Amino acid sequence: DTWARPTLTSTISIPSLKMVRTLLALALMVSSAGAFMSASPRAAPRTVVSMAEKSPAIPFLPAPANCEGYVGNVGFDPLRVSEWGLPVDYLREAELKHGRVCMLAVTGFAATDCGFRIPGEQYQVASIDAHDVAVSSGLMTVGGIAILMIEALSFVAIQEMLAGSGRMAGDFGFDPLKVKADAKKLETMQLKEITHSRLAMLAFSGMVTQAVLTEKGFPYY
């Protein structure tokens, strides 16, 4: 194996560090369990679903009624999360947010391990070491503050949506290509986005797990 992961000087023992990484990888796998939650920006008014109607994705379970009329609905809700009392639009907001983050994360994680890095000694590390380096250098604090500010702004938008403003889940007005002008094209792009979001959540969990377990560079085997 010609790929060598840069070492990180730390007071943490190697066995403890490996244990932390393994636990982190397992946590990421668990967090992706909701990747196929079918709440989505509405494409059409929701309809009443008969209790006898079965889920297309899981034929031996009834179709989740609360997910009807949402883009990307494939009837996959084995834990019946859509029936827990949470607004379905809120669930879709969360799915889109995590999906978008993971699409960026997959790209950045792989690109870093392929050698694409910004100048600076603190950035010349493998992706799985990035967290420890960010903490020790103080960059994690800066990133945390930035995330907090973004979350504060998005919270206002979500509250307005739940209050009946008419805002679609995940819509922050970013539409440089003017997709909203064509309703059919908008629905197609929404379907593409949620499909890639779900794939990215699973992919990122798998990439991190593989990278931690093998301690090898891209493609992590």
Side-chain angles (χ1 to χ4, degrees), residues 86-200:
L86 293 170
V88 183
D89 283 337
Y90 177 80
L91 296 175
R92 167 38 58 97
E93 184 86 27
E95 184 180 28
L96 278 172
K97 179 182 293 185
H98 287 85
R100 289 165 176 171
V101 169
C102 282
M103 284 190 282
L104 293 172
V106 166
T107 304
F109 199 92
T112 297
D113 288 338
C114 287
F116 295 94
R117 300 173 186 176
I118 60 178
E121 183 179 355
Q122 67 270 35
Y123 304 117
Q124 308 310 308
V125 295
S127 293
I128 59 174
D129 285 330
H131 174 272
D132 295 343
V133 172
V135 171
S136 62
S137 66
L139 290 175
M140 184 62 73
T141 302
V142 177
I145 293 174
I147 292 173
L148 181 61
M149 294 176 64
I150 294 172
E151 286 297 302
L153 294 174
S154 67
F155 177 79
V156 175
I158 294 171
Q159 288 301 109
E160 291 180 350
M161 174 187 69
L162 297 179
S165 67
R167 169 186 178 270
M168 289 192 301
D171 183 7
F172 290 96
F174 183 77
D175 185 21
L177 300 180
K178 307 299 181 184
V179 176
K180 289 183 180 179
D182 186 331
K184 186 173 181 59
K185 186 175 181 180
L186 174 61
E187 182 177 347
T188 299
M189 295 304 293
Q190 287 176 337
L191 179 59
K192 290 180 178 180
E193 180 182 37
I194 194 58
T195 301
H196 286 87
S197 292
R198 292 166 175 171
L199 175 60

Side-chain angles (χ1 to χ4, degrees), residues 38-49 65-73 88-89 92 168 183-184 186-188 190:
S38 53
S40 177
R42 289 187 291 273
R46 279 174 278 186
T47 56
V48 177
V49 178
N66 292 340
C67 297
E68 282 299 308
Y70 284 83
V71 174
N73 176 33
V88 183
D89 283 337
R92 167 38 58 97
M168 289 192 301
K184 186 173 181 59
L186 174 61
E187 182 177 347
T188 299
Q190 287 176 337

Side-chain angles (χ1 to χ4, degrees), residues 12-105:
I12 303 176
S13 64
I14 295 301
S16 297
L17 187 57
K18 287 185 176 180
M19 181 178 295
V20 170
R21 288 175 175 171
T22 301
L23 290 175
L24 176 61
L26 291 175
L28 284 168
M29 292 181 68
V30 173
S31 68
S32 67
F36 290 99
M37 180 61 209
S38 53
S40 177
R42 289 187 291 273
R46 279 174 278 186
T47 56
V48 177
V49 178
S50 169
M51 291 300 292
E53 185 177 342
K54 297 300 182 181
S55 164
I58 313 175
F60 55 86
L61 290 180
N66 292 340
C67 297
E68 282 299 308
Y70 284 83
V71 174
N73 176 33
V74 293
F76 187 89
D77 187 14
L79 299 180
R80 318 307 290 180
V81 178
S82 61
E83 299 174 5
W84 289 4
L86 293 170
V88 183
D89 283 337
Y90 177 80
L91 296 175
R92 167 38 58 97
E93 184 86 27
E95 184 180 28
L96 278 172
K97 179 182 293 185
H98 287 85
R100 289 165 176 171
V101 169
C102 282
M103 284 190 282
L104 293 172

